[in-house]
Amino acid sequence: MKRFLRLAPVQAALAVALWAYLSLVGATMRWRVEAPGYEDELAKPEGGMVFFWHGRIALGVVARRAMRGREMRAMISLSPDGEFIAKAAAMLGVPAIRGSAARRAGHLGKGGAKAFVEALAFIAAGGGVFVTPDGPRGPAEVMQAGPVAMAARSGTRVYLTGLAARPVIRLRSWDRTRLPLPFGRGVAVVDGPLRTPQHADRQTIERVRTDWEARLKALDARAEALLAAAA
């Protein structure tokens, strides 16, 4: 079955199906954004990185309209399973940067060197990059050191984003992917801009990693609570 799903024609068909579905969801969802200072920060020309958990990647792509014109890219792994996701994201207006930041500070994952250079250039030009810091293989909602180290080396601003939506379908994947349904509601809660020193050592990276992981989990909890209160 995996071989069949990874055939090029099948991947293309899956990408079109996902694009069509998320386009419908994006056109019918109502979003609330809680982000102190968001308008002022968004007006600045500097690029940046947006972190949210891998299981909420569909919510992140659908919520891209909240960026209000900011050109975005998404870091998506070079794995075969990431192929149709990258194709669908591109059709949704979020082209992929293919590669992963890996789990450890000082290391780059498959395709990471090329992806890192591409991401740096894009951010320097004022673009934003979506990163799922527990991907591409997890553990779910455990922030890896690699994305934090990448943020440190770039010196760019980082926004942690908690995302919630109702109603959703939870897939039986390692990350329990949340697939929003049409005509639902969504909440995005943003913390940032955050930065980490460009020449941070491993101890500093670990301290930031732990802090950002806890913050991102709290943001998801906040988003879920706001959504429940509005029901």
Side-chain angles (χ1 to χ4, degrees), residues 77-226:
S77 75
L78 283 169
S79 68
D81 293 334
E83 184 66 25
F84 85 91
I85 297 174
K87 290 179 183 296
M91 288 188 283
L92 287 163
V94 188
I97 296 174
R98 301 301 303 275
S100 60
R103 299 187 177 194
R104 294 178 293 166
H107 292 76
L108 292 171
K110 185 178 181 181
K114 180 178 180 295
F116 181 70
V117 172
E118 185 178 347
L120 280 187
F122 185 68
I123 291 169
V129 177
F130 288 144
V131 178
T132 54
D134 57 340
R137 296 185 300 274
E141 298 189 5
V142 174
M143 187 169 295
Q144 307 299 334
V148 179
M150 187 172 75
R153 288 175 62 185
S154 69
T156 193
R157 55 184 178 171
V158 173
Y159 295 89
L160 306 179
T161 305
L163 296 164
R166 289 187 183 179
V168 297
I169 297 173
R170 293 197 181 192
L171 305 183
R172 293 182 179 180
S173 54
W174 66 266
D175 59 357
R176 299 291 290 167
T177 292
R178 290 161 174 79
L179 192 63
L181 297 177
F183 303 99
R185 291 185 176 185
V187 174
V189 183
V190 183
D191 183 5
L194 306 174
R195 297 181 189 269
T196 189
Q198 281 189 276
H199 302 292
D201 56 22
R202 290 179 182 272
Q203 288 75 23
T204 301
I205 293 294
E206 176 58 21
R207 184 167 62 250
V208 172
R209 186 203 68 77
T210 302
D211 177 50
W212 288 4
E213 179 183 298
R215 287 189 186 213
L216 190 47
K217 289 181 178 180
L219 291 169
D220 277 345
R222 170 69 176 167
E224 295 286 359
L226 289 173

Side-chain angles (χ1 to χ4, degrees), residues 60-83:
V61 172
V62 170
R64 74 193 186 286
R65 290 186 302 171
M67 299 298 160
R68 298 189 182 178
R70 175 76 62 172
E71 191 174 359
M72 302 297 296
R73 297 285 186 271
M75 288 197 72
I76 298 175
S77 75
L78 283 169
S79 68
D81 293 334
E83 184 66 25

Side-chain angles (χ1 to χ4, degrees), residues 18 29 35-36 41 45 48 58 69 93 99 101 116 134 136:
L18 184 59
M29 279 189 73
E41 283 295 324
F116 181 70
D134 57 340

Side-chain angles (χ1 to χ4, degrees), residues 36-71:
Y38 172 78
E39 297 290 344
D40 292 339
E41 283 295 324
L42 199 62
K44 295 179 180 179
E46 180 188 1
M49 300 170 70
V50 179
F51 284 17
F52 49 79
W53 297 127
H54 198 278
R56 300 177 192 249
I57 192 168
L59 304 184
V61 172
V62 170
R64 74 193 186 286
R65 290 186 302 171
M67 299 298 160
R68 298 189 182 178
R70 175 76 62 172
E71 191 174 359

